[in-house]
């Protein structure tokens, strides 16, 4: 029996702009809390993954725990995800 062929991950593509993901990760790297990050994102006018301008800490938390952000920060940066 042969090994299964590896296929690309399926599922919905990310709804969040790469620049938004990078900005959230940069703010978290600076040590900001989820609430502080949501306030900065609103002040700077960044859209949420759903396209709205009203950020909440749950938006930030969910975004930080997506596969796309984990790939962005790498596996060695688990401290960034700590709440």
């Amino acid at each position: 029996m042969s090994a299964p062929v590896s296929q690309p991950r399926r599922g919905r593509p990310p709804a969040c702009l790469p620049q938004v993901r990078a900005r959230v990760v940069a703010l978290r790297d600076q040590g900001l809390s989820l609430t502080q990050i949501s306030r900065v994102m609103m002040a700077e006018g960044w859209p949420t993954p759903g396209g709205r301008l009203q950020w909440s800490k749950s938006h930030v938390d969910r975004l930080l725990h997506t596969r796309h952000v984990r790939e962005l920060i790498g596996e060695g940066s688990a401290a960034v995800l700590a709440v």
Side-chain angles (χ1 to χ4, degrees):
M1 184 175 274
S2 63
V5 176
S6 177
Q7 296 182 0
R9 265 185 94 113
R10 296 170 73 173
R12 227 170 42 173
C16 191
L17 297 171
Q19 300 92 334
V20 171
R21 292 192 302 261
R23 182 66 178 137
V24 168
V25 169
L27 292 170
R28 191 62 173 171
D29 283 342
Q30 293 174 20
L32 273 65
S33 70
L34 300 178
T35 300
Q36 291 170 323
I37 293 171
S38 64
R39 289 180 182 153
V40 169
M41 297 301 283
M42 284 188 292
E44 294 179 358
W46 291 101
T48 66
R52 300 177 189 257
L53 293 177
Q54 184 69 35
W55 281 82
S56 68
K57 68 179 186 177
S58 63
H59 283 115
V60 176
D61 185 50
R62 284 193 307 263
L63 182 60
L64 286 171
H65 287 87
T66 62
R67 173 177 55 97
H68 305 286
V69 169
R70 283 191 301 250
E71 290 171 358
L72 179 66
I73 63 174
E75 293 300 321
S77 299
V80 171
L81 299 177
V83 175

